[in-house]
Amino acid sequence: MPELTDTAFLDHLADRLAALPGVRAVSLGGSRAQGTHSEASDWDTAVYYRGGEGLFAPRHLREIGWEGEVTEIGGWGGGVFNGGGWLVVDGRRVDVHYRDLDSVEHELAEAVAGRFRVEPLLFHLAGIPSYLVVAELAVNRVLRGEAPRPDGYPAALRTSAAEQWWGRAGLTLHYARAGNVPLGGRTEVVGAVAVAAMQAGHAVLAARGQWVTNEKRLLERAGLRGIDALLADRSLGLGELVDQAQELLEAAVSAARQEAERPAPSKG
């Protein structure tokens, strides 16, 4: 059982992480930062360091002695989501993410220019955009030190991300229709529709200029939970499933784009 109050625990956690060699900032993320958590929610944190300095090393986190697993840098597949720890501290589940400021600042500049890439990551159906680390800066709560913060959602990214994510969804559905439906592969078709729904969700939220840090509530936020009923409807043929999914997803993306193109209401 935890011995500390939530406030005392967070202070203790932030102080220990901030004291690690090379750490420039510590942030709290996830539901705890956004006030949507429950008693059972994990404590998602990130340590910001500058990789070019060579001061931060996972062994320093390991040496604190907290129960759990600490990966090497790059241990979660490399890319922008470059490793961390799954730990238990004072009876609470804590995730610690490594965030290299050299990489984060690069991705911030790329996002402002409307450029990004999609990287595979375990447990994420559609993968993650490289601007995820920028989204974290926008929505997370900095507990210690200083970290850069984006000036809103970049206009260029709203356009490019909506286009590219919806393009991916369209290609996913096209392949399901052309490659999986004729073979009668229900698992493959259902899987493709699920992936396309996540891709469309990214497109919707990008068009709205809303940051995404994971897929957990992506469909709800994008208004795409109607995909559940389609996937559960066994009366639909596989081709019908793909067609109706495309219609539902396309309508949501189109509505988000149209909303984004409307002029802001005048004041006064």
Side-chain angles (χ1 to χ4, degrees), residues 56-189:
F56 175 77
R59 63 182 174 80
H60 298 136
L61 177 58
R62 214 173 276 124
E63 287 168 357
I64 294 178
W66 289 330
E67 176 187 348
E69 176 184 349
V70 174
T71 77
E72 295 304 313
I73 293 174
W76 289 344
V80 296
F81 214 91
N82 64 335
W86 291 304
L87 304 167
V88 177
V89 183
D90 190 45
R92 297 167 165 94
R93 295 194 307 274
V94 175
D95 291 345
V96 179
H97 300 158
Y98 306 151
R99 292 291 178 264
D100 184 344
L101 283 167
D102 294 335
S103 172
V104 168
E105 290 170 355
H106 170 76
E107 298 306 338
L108 175 55
E110 288 288 282
V112 169
R115 296 188 294 266
F116 72 100
R117 64 191 181 280
V118 177
E119 299 177 349
L121 184 65
L122 284 174
F123 322 124
H124 290 69
L125 294 180
I128 59 169
S130 52
Y131 58 78
L132 179 146
V133 293
V134 182
E136 291 176 339
L137 294 173
V139 303
N140 288 1
R141 175 182 159 199
V142 176
L143 303 174
R144 300 290 186 274
E146 295 183 0
R149 191 173 184 85
D151 183 17
Y153 198 108
L157 187 64
R158 287 182 69 160
T159 299
S160 65
E163 289 178 354
Q164 290 184 48
W165 279 114
W166 179 238
R168 282 173 170 260
L171 289 172
T172 300
L173 293 170
H174 173 76
Y175 187 83
R177 186 181 292 109
N180 300 130
V181 169
L183 297 176
R186 182 171 181 82
T187 297
E188 291 88 337
V189 171

